[in-house]
């Protein structure tokens, strides 16, 4: 255990970097030991000015994981609109919380989001923390980490879930640092052990070739970013809950990164993820003639066009239409894969579609293993026949 | 800016996406799989070298791994990186992203003054994209992720970020941590001249746990919050039926079946 001699401190900050646990911080120019200090004494060796010395006692503090309760979702919004992934996470959070007989809390930061609590409650939250202020309108790492780590430290949830979006994957690692806890990225499956509350977090790795099941059994909160489109939202219009408004203001450190401008991209990706029917093409389309067939098929089904990486690489279609590990994850009611062999990277992006139809000339193509209905043959002859009969 | 100093954190990863597991041991089959420089780390190295050419800079590459991981440092020397630090120690083994970032941040602090830390957005093995932000976290530095362009001017950088629905331009004062995507540049090939200097070993420093003055209790598997319980190959298999017949019959029975499950 350490003893601090503040008058020796030259505010060099080395001790704060040396501490893995956030157990020592500088308040102004004074070093302060926090509750997170485990008594490991690592900062003593680092301090060159004698401001940190050993108190002679050797106690190793641990934190009591039983104190951490509840399942939290960090909800993301853009221009005031809640992203679908937030509602999907609430569906999962509700399931996990029911197993542990505990509550679901959503945290929402944004500008003009005062009225958004209801939507989050209907989708499974018992309580919603809202921080609504102009400086939170666009996501910036610093204020979001500061505010969210503050509420997490105060209320001690057992689990915190984020969407595996650009924001979630920027924010969550920084929070894991601040809370000195574990974080699993881009999960596609979460399972709760009812007895000890250990969350088994499964994520793809190596481009979807390998799945890894990960736990952080001795740390709380257990944190995961979860891939959009994987979990199911559940809406109960009659659900009731509490909305709590957080009193927040901008601090000087929040402006360390300033946003100069943003330029919107074309919206085709978003519509792909919302589509009920996706007609997708791959290498087997051959050329632009095959692609024309695909468009005609999409027209009779009123579906959106998707593509495998091969079709994108061949220049048949823009990357925004790519489905799979390095593209979009989709979950339509109907997914028709035309001339797509079914590389594991593609399957990762579409395998949870309700009904999958595969049209491919190679009966051994892996796509047939995930298809509900397989048509083995020449797509140049099968597709016109389907179009003809549907008309 | 005079005397710009850039640190690039790089990782050696298995060089294939055809990685398989051994069903008996539930572990990765690494035998016969060559190690390569992680693709987006190569983009980070290129970004550092571009800044060096434009503004003058000393570029140090940093990697953690088994002694063989030094191979990727020789590769970046041949691209034009000035110095390399290999962090290797049995005590580091099994570190998760939090502990890896902790070790890297300790090494960066030990290496002296710096202005910019560059990382690839994510590694193709674990695909976490966490180590860059977590280095920033341990060093209390601002971070900019998903960079596809970096422009340096008067102690500030302006970065274009590639996000899902927009591109975002941000400005931040150095020092800072930036993670780059593959869209930022096309990495150069190693040059023969550089290959010769790269091989004499004079550019490489190797540090272990003692050099970083970190107790073993803060390192490796035991200190890491997350643990991999098991790894397995995904099971994509589904009910599946192959519809028989010629094109006409296939089309007709497909339409009938889709109507049967109410999707059309």
């Amino acid at each position: 255990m350490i003893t601090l001699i503040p008058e020796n401190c030259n505010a060099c900050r080395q001790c704060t970097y040396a501490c893995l646990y956030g157990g020592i911080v500088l308040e102004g120019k004074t070093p302060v030991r926090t509750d997170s200090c485990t008594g490991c004494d690592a900062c003593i060796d680092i301090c060159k000015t004698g401001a940190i010395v050993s108190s002679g006692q050797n106690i190793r503090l641990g934190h009591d994981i039983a104190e951490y309760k509840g399942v939290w979702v960090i909800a993301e919004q853009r221009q005031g609109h809640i992203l679908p992934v937030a509602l999907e996470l609430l569906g999962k959070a509700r399931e996990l919380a029911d197993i542990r007989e505990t509550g679901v809390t959503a945290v929402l930061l944004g500008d003009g989001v005062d009225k958004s609590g209801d939507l989050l409650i209907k989708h499974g939250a018992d309580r919603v923390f809202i921080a609504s202020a102009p400086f939170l309108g666009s996501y910036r790492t610093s204020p979001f980490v500061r505010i969210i780590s503050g509420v997490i430290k105060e209320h001690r949830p057992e689990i915190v879930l984020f969407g595996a979006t650009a924001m979630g994957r920027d924010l969550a690692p920084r929070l894991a640092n601040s809370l000195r806890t574990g974080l699993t990225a881009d999960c596609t499956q979460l399972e709760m052990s009812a007895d000890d509350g250990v969350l088994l977090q499964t994520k793809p790795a190596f481009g979807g070739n390998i799945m890894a099941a990960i736990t952080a059994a001795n740390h709380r909160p257990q944190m995961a970013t979860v891939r959009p489109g994987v979990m199911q939202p559940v809406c109960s219009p009659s659900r009731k809950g509490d909305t709590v408004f957080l009193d927040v203001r901008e601090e000087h450190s929040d402006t360390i990164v300033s946003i100069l401008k943003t330029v919107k991209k074309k919206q085709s990706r978003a519509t792909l993820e919302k589509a009920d029917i996706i007609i997708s093409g791959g290498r087997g389309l051959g050329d632009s003639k095959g692609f024309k067939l695909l468009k005609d098929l999409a027209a009779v089904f009123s579906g959106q066009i998707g593509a495998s990486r091969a079709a994108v690489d061949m220049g048949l279609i823009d990357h925004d239409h790519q489905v799979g590990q390095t593209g979009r994850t989709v979950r339509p009611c109907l997914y028709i894969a035309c001339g797509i062999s079914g590389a594991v990277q593609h399957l990762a992006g579409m395998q949870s579609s309700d009904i999958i139809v595969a049209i491919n000339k190679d009966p051994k193509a892996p796509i047939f293993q995930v298809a509900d209905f397989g048509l083995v043959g020449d797509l140049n002859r099968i597709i016109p026949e389907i179009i003809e009969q549907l008309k | 800016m005079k005397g710009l100093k850039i640190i690039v954190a790089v990782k050696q990863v298995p060089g294939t996406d055809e990685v398989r597991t051994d069903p008996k041991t539930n572990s990765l089959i690494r035998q016969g799989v060559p190690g390569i420089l992680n693709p987006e780390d190569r983009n980070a190295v290129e970004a550092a070298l571009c800044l060096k050419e434009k503004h003058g800079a000393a570029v140090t590459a940093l990697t953690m791994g088994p002694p063989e991981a030094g191979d990727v440092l020789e590769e970046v020397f041949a691209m034009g990186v000035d110095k390399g630090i290999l962090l290797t120690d049995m005590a580091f083994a099994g570190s998760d992203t939090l502990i890896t970032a902790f070790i890297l941040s300790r090494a960066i602090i030990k290496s002296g003054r710096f202005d910019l830390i560059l990382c690839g957005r994510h590694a193709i093995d674990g695909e976490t994209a966490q180590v860059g932000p977590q280095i920033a976290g341990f060093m209390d530095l601002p971070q900019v992720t998903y960079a596809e362009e970096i422009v340096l001017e008067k102690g500030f950088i302006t970065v274009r970020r590639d996000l899902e629905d927009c591109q975002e331009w941000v400005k931040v004062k150095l020092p800072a941590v930036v993670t780059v995507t593959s869209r930022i540049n096309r990495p150069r090939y190693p040059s023969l001249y550089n290959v010769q200097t790269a091989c004499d070993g004079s550019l490489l420093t190797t540090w272990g746990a003692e050099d970083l003055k970190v107790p073993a209790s803060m390192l490796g598997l035991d200190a890491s919050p997350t643990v991999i319980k098991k790894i397995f190959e995904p099971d994509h298999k589904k009910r599946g039926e192959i519809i028989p017949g010629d094109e006409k019959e296939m089309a007709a029975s497909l339409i009938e079946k889709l109507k049967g499950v109410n999707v059309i």
Side-chain angles (χ1 to χ4, degrees):
Chain A
M1 187 62 71
I2 57 170
T3 297
L4 297 169
I5 306 169
E7 49 273 31
N8 288 348
C9 178
N10 65 352
C12 72
R13 306 192 77 87
Q14 289 292 318
C15 53
T16 65
Y17 302 138
C19 184
L20 175 56
Y21 307 101
I24 188 158
V25 295
L26 275 186
E27 286 180 2
K29 291 190 169 173
T30 312
V32 175
R33 197 177 75 83
T34 74
D35 292 345
S36 309
C37 173
T38 64
C40 75
D41 292 354
C43 51
I44 294 173
D45 291 345
I46 290 294
C47 184
K48 293 190 175 69
T49 60
I52 307 171
V53 295
S54 173
S55 62
Q57 295 167 286
N58 195 4
I59 316 161
R60 196 175 168 81
L61 307 171
H63 63 179
D64 184 4
I65 61 174
E67 282 175 19
Y68 290 72
K69 289 192 174 67
V71 182
W72 283 30
V73 169
I74 309 303
E76 182 175 355
Q77 54 80 29
R78 287 185 197 150
Q79 285 88 44
H81 300 289
I82 309 275
L83 293 198
V85 66
L87 307 180
E88 296 161 17
L89 292 179
L90 283 170
K92 189 68 192 185
R94 190 70 257 165
E95 179 195 318
L96 298 174
D98 289 347
I99 293 171
R100 288 287 280 166
E101 296 174 351
T102 174
V104 173
T105 299
V107 181
L108 176 66
L109 274 59
D111 184 22
V113 291
D114 315 59
K115 307 245 182 319
S116 300
D118 247 12
L119 182 67
L120 298 168
I121 289 166
K122 286 194 177 102
H123 283 83
D126 300 301
R127 175 176 62 175
V128 182
F129 284 119
I130 292 182
S132 188
F135 76 96
L136 299 173
S138 295
Y139 168 73
R140 286 175 300 165
T141 313
S142 182
F144 275 59
V145 169
R146 179 171 61 78
I147 293 166
I148 296 171
S149 78
V151 274
I152 289 177
K153 281 176 181 164
E154 186 182 341
H155 296 275
R156 304 191 170 201
E158 187 170 36
I159 290 169
V160 183
L161 305 178
F162 308 76
T165 58
M167 175 189 116
R169 299 187 76 170
D170 185 274
L171 169 68
R174 243 359 234 265
L175 279 172
N177 258 68
S178 155
L179 302 161
R180 296 301 193 268
T181 191
L183 172 65
T184 307
D186 202 22
C187 296
T188 53
Q189 208 183 328
L190 297 171
E191 290 164 273
M192 171 66 98
S193 154
D195 311 331
D196 52 11
V198 172
L199 188 65
L200 189 66
Q201 308 158 56
T202 302
K203 80 173 302 281
F206 291 98
N209 285 294
I210 300 283
M211 304 298 286
I214 292 168
T215 61
N218 301 319
H219 287 75
R220 296 292 181 275
Q222 304 169 87
M223 307 214 306
T225 62
V226 179
R227 185 175 290 191
V230 175
M231 304 301 172
Q232 290 283 24
V234 181
C235 183
S236 332
S238 59
R239 276 191 59 83
K240 295 271 176 287
D242 301 322
T243 300
V244 181
F245 290 95
L246 300 171
D247 183 23
V248 293
R249 57 206 70 195
E250 191 165 26
E251 290 186 2
H252 182 67
S253 62
D254 296 346
T255 59
I256 193 155
V257 176
S258 54
I259 300 173
L260 302 178
K261 65 169 176 177
T262 53
V263 174
K264 278 245 161 223
K265 291 182 184 172
K266 287 182 300 179
Q267 278 303 305
S268 48
R269 280 176 170 188
T271 56
L272 196 59
E273 277 153 355
K274 285 182 199 152
D276 285 332
I277 296 179
I278 294 175
I279 315 294
S280 216
R283 192 188 304 278
L285 292 176
D287 51 22
S288 53
K289 200 168 132 243
F291 192 68
K292 167 86 172 48
L293 265 184
L294 191 76
K295 278 187 174 163
D296 294 345
L297 187 64
V300 296
F301 274 100
S302 308
Q304 300 281 329
I305 304 256
S308 71
R309 180 169 171 180
V312 174
D313 288 348
M314 285 161 71
L316 292 176
I317 190 163
D318 192 77
H319 172 78
D320 283 352
H321 292 267
Q322 187 180 318
V323 171
Q325 182 79 19
T326 50
R328 303 284 98 193
T329 300
V330 297
R331 186 177 204 158
C333 304
L334 174 62
Y335 189 93
I336 305 186
C338 306
I340 293 175
S341 62
V344 65
Q345 290 86 345
H346 185 74
L347 301 184
M350 46 65 76
Q351 59 178 320
S352 26
S353 306
D354 291 349
I355 298 288
I356 297 170
V357 176
I359 306 173
N360 202 304
K361 64 177 191 293
D362 176 10
K364 293 201 189 84
I367 190 76
F368 287 119
Q369 295 184 355
V370 305
D372 298 86
F373 306 118
L375 284 69
V376 180
D378 180 359
L379 61 87
N380 290 305
R381 295 173 60 160
I382 296 173
I383 294 177
E385 195 60 52
I386 298 172
I387 294 171
E388 186 59 36
Q389 293 191 23
L390 271 175
K391 275 180 179 164
Chain B
M1 188 192 295
K2 282 270 184 302
L4 187 69
K5 198 177 158 200
I6 304 173
I7 308 259
V8 191
V10 299
K11 184 181 186 186
Q12 188 184 49
V13 294
T16 170
D17 28 285
E18 297 299 309
V19 177
R20 290 281 166 259
T21 56
D22 180 338
K24 280 190 203 125
T25 58
N26 257 331
S27 61
L28 284 184
I29 300 170
R30 290 189 185 269
Q31 221 169 11
V33 181
I36 60 161
L37 174 61
N38 179 53
E40 283 180 330
D41 298 352
R42 190 182 293 278
N43 294 103
V45 170
E46 177 65 31
L49 295 173
C50 290
L51 289 169
K52 175 184 171 180
E53 282 158 3
K54 198 158 177 202
H55 304 277
V59 179
T60 301
L62 179 65
T63 195
M64 183 179 109
E68 308 86 84
D71 292 355
V72 297
L73 292 180
E74 282 185 11
E75 201 174 335
V76 300
F77 292 150
M79 288 172 73
V81 165
D82 302 301
K83 277 198 281 184
I85 301 168
L86 170 65
L87 302 171
T88 189
D89 196 313
M90 279 309 289
F92 297 158
S95 297
D96 71 355
T97 64
L98 186 77
I99 302 302
T100 299
F102 178 64
I103 296 167
L104 292 174
S105 67
R106 293 302 313 155
I108 292 168
I109 290 167
K110 182 179 164 73
S111 75
R113 191 185 66 80
F114 61 88
D115 301 290
L116 177 62
I117 299 170
L118 293 172
C119 309
R121 173 192 49 148
H122 76 194
I124 57 168
D125 50 0
E127 298 180 337
T128 70
Q130 286 170 192
V131 171
Q134 294 194 309
I135 291 173
F138 280 117
M139 303 185 69
D140 210 5
L141 291 171
Q143 72 190 39
V144 183
T145 49
Y146 301 94
E148 55 175 11
E149 186 185 64
I150 303 171
V151 178
L152 171 74
E153 200 180 4
K154 294 180 185 142
F156 284 82
I157 48 169
T158 303
V159 181
R160 188 171 79 231
R161 303 180 68 210
D162 178 31
L163 307 179
E164 291 106 338
D165 61 343
C166 68
Q167 290 176 315
E168 182 184 82
W169 280 256
V170 301
K171 189 174 180 182
V172 59
K173 191 174 191 298
L174 296 179
V177 176
V178 178
T179 74
V180 310
T181 75
S182 59
R183 297 164 71 106
I184 194 168
N185 53 38
R186 287 188 61 174
R188 70 194 63 194
Y189 292 103
S191 84
L192 188 59
Y193 169 77
N194 286 332
V195 168
Q196 288 166 343
T197 2
C199 289
D200 73 0
S202 62
L203 307 179
L204 182 72
T205 308
T206 303
W207 287 338
E210 279 192 18
D211 298 299
L212 300 183
K213 293 187 187 153
V214 181
S217 64
M218 286 192 177
L219 299 171
L221 189 63
D222 290 344
S224 295
T226 62
V227 176
I228 299 173
K229 296 305 274 187
K230 65 169 180 176
I231 55 172
F232 53 98
E233 290 179 35
D235 179 17
H236 294 298
K237 291 206 171 36
K238 215 176 173 180
R239 47 268 168 183
E241 72 175 288
I242 298 292
I243 296 176
D246 63 18
E247 286 88 24
K248 237 185 188 60
E249 290 160 356
M250 279 195 268
S253 73
L254 175 68
I255 291 166
E256 193 181 317
K257 283 177 189 296
L258 292 180
K259 281 183 177 155
V261 290
N262 287 327
V263 293
I264 54 171

